Amino acid sequence: MDMENPVDFSYLGRNFSDVSNGEHSSAFSDCNSDRSGEFQTASSQSRRLLISCTSDNSDDLIRQLISDLEAGSIEEQKQAAMEIRLLAKNKSENRLKIAKAGAIKPLVSLLSCSDLQLQEYGVTAILNLSLCDENKELIASSGAIKPLVRSLKTGTPTAKENAACALLRLSQIEENKVAIGRSGAIPLLVNLLESGGFRGKKDASTALYSLCSVKENKIRAVQSGIMKPLVELMSDFGSNMVDKSAYVLSVLVSVPEARAALVEEGGIPVLVEIIEVGSQRQKEISVAILLQLCENSAVHRNMVAREGAIPPLVALSQSGTDRAKQKAETLTELLRQPRSGNGAARASDVSL
């Protein structure tokens, strides 16, 4: 597996490589547990109270819920999946209990159900169980990846969002990244990034960042048209997606296919504008992307210079963070010697 290290940035108080190495469960999206609606049945309050009262001694309840998943009617399966979801939502010990009791395989079976509501409940329960590191390998080995990918394509909006989060969790095991990419997840995540609601866009960007630490997934993402929505989101400061989109781009731009697509989709003017008017964090990541774009291409250096990048880069080199200053100075030197093969500092010499 061709695994590349992402650019090392700090975001929300965490090292941004955390998504890839799995040391933290969330890098820049709140895929911590489901945000679905609660029970809709008339008995919901009494059932939820039962769960609350038995959560510390819930083995019998868990066995009954699994039995309902395996042999119950559609309505019983829905109720059981919802209650498992709630048991797993906030208590890590319950996630282990539920998995060890054998719930994962019947939950995975629900993902292929034609009843979209039941499918959604199954996806959401698996998401909550995947929050436990010990469960991730079992979920993947139980055949969950392909059904989760199908849910990205055919599920309800909530199922798509929660499937993206569940795939993010599973991708924190490195060997799963290739399997997820080869199962067709990348174009579906790109579609969610482009056409989903705000939560869907956040969840898709988080999953794509993790999956695209693998080279073949970077290429899949570019071939799936990811650059267009990334550039559009970066150009819209009201989208609240500028940072997230730029971080995904920073992972992709290490491959030539992504650099070509970035230029073709008009990404250079957008990145220069971010350096002019963005936040300090946005400026730093944009400079890092342009460094990778310009390092070995005089054509790209000329394009960036023609967009008027040098004045805001000079300003950033005087007023930014230490790392931003260093990157801005290096890029400014590259742009001032666009046809030189020798005198320009190399972007690879800058600690990202």
Side-chain angles (χ1 to χ4, degrees):
M1 178 171 62
D2 190 346
M3 167 72 180
E4 299 185 10
N5 291 326
V7 178
D8 182 16
F9 283 100
S10 176
Y11 189 62
L12 296 182
R14 294 187 175 125
N15 184 290
F16 202 64
S17 63
D18 287 341
V19 171
S20 299
N21 63 30
E23 291 180 2
H24 295 281
S25 61
S26 176
F28 61 108
S29 178
D30 53 350
C31 284
N32 297 325
S33 64
D34 73 89
R35 285 142 283 170
S36 308
E38 303 299 345
F39 295 136
Q40 302 299 317
T41 63
S43 62
S44 65
Q45 294 297 328
S46 61
R47 299 298 290 272
R48 288 163 64 185
L49 180 60
L50 174 61
I51 288 178
S52 176
C53 292
T54 61
S55 59
D56 292 328
N57 188 21
S58 54
D59 292 356
D60 291 342
L61 175 61
I62 290 171
R63 283 192 290 269
Q64 180 58 54
L65 294 175
I66 293 173
S67 177
D68 289 345
L69 287 178
E70 293 174 330
S73 66
I74 292 291
E75 291 306 314
E76 288 171 335
Q77 287 178 317
K78 287 181 182 180
Q79 191 72 27
M82 286 192 293
E83 296 188 17
I84 286 175
R85 186 200 92 209
L86 283 183
L87 278 169
K89 184 168 185 176
N90 296 312
K91 300 201 70 169
S92 58
E93 58 268 32
N94 283 345
R95 295 169 193 149
L96 277 172
K97 281 184 181 181
I98 292 166
K100 289 179 178 178
I104 289 176
K105 285 191 176 181
L107 284 171
V108 169
S109 297
L110 299 187
L111 305 189
S112 301
C113 181
S114 60
D115 187 300
L116 292 181
Q117 189 179 52
L118 182 55
Q119 180 191 104
E120 176 187 316
Y121 294 162
V123 169
T124 307
I126 286 175
L127 164 60
N128 288 353
L129 292 173
S130 73
L131 302 180
C132 177
D133 289 341
E134 291 88 339
N135 289 342
K136 292 173 186 174
E137 186 173 345
L138 178 57
I139 291 171
S141 65
S142 297
I145 289 175
K146 288 184 178 180
L148 284 169
V149 172
R150 283 198 299 271
S151 295
L152 271 178
K153 182 176 183 178
T154 65
T156 66
T158 297
K160 290 178 180 179
E161 294 163 354
N162 288 343
C165 282
L167 289 169
L168 165 67
R169 298 301 171 192
L170 299 185
S171 75
Q172 290 167 354
I173 297 176
E174 288 299 326
E175 53 265 34
N176 288 340
K177 294 184 180 185
V178 169
I180 292 169
R182 293 178 180 177
S183 294
I186 303 295
L188 297 172
L189 288 167
V190 170
N191 184 63
L192 185 60
L193 178 70
E194 185 167 22
S195 59
F198 178 57
R199 184 197 151 191
K201 292 178 189 296
K202 288 199 304 177
D203 295 345
S205 66
T206 311
L208 285 163
Y209 177 87
S210 177
L211 291 167
C212 289
S213 64
V214 176
K215 184 176 180 181
E216 67 180 69
N217 286 342
K218 299 178 200 280
I219 296 171
R220 286 191 184 97
V222 175
Q223 292 173 341
S224 299
I226 193 173
M227 205 57 65
K228 181 176 183 289
L230 286 180
V231 171
E232 289 177 350
L233 289 168
M234 286 191 303
S235 68
D236 181 3
F237 285 89
S239 69
N240 291 318
M241 287 291 297
V242 176
D243 301 57
K244 299 172 185 64
S245 301
Y247 283 127
V248 175
L249 178 56
S250 75
V251 178
L252 297 173
V253 78
S254 63
V255 297
E257 294 88 344
R259 295 193 291 273
L262 172 63
V263 173
E264 183 177 346
E265 292 295 339
I268 289 176
V270 172
L271 290 166
V272 172
E273 182 183 16
I274 292 173
I275 296 172
E276 292 175 331
V277 301
S279 67
Q280 285 295 325
R281 183 170 60 208
Q282 292 165 357
K283 291 178 180 181
E284 185 174 334
I285 184 66
S286 296
V287 173
I289 292 167
L290 287 175
L291 273 171
Q292 293 186 74
L293 185 68
C294 294
E295 179 182 10
N296 295 310
S297 173
V299 172
H300 291 159
R301 292 197 291 271
N302 283 325
M303 294 175 71
V304 173
R306 285 199 302 268
E307 286 298 327
I310 291 178
L313 284 170
V314 171
L316 183 61
S317 70
Q318 297 170 348
S319 63
T321 64
D322 289 343
R323 288 198 306 178
K325 288 178 181 178
Q326 185 182 35
K327 293 170 188 173
E329 289 169 359
T330 303
L331 182 54
T332 300
E333 185 175 351
L334 282 170
L335 297 181
R336 283 174 170 164
Q337 300 179 8
R339 293 180 177 84
S340 171
N342 298 317
R346 291 180 59 83
S348 59
D349 295 332
V350 178
S351 174
L352 295 181

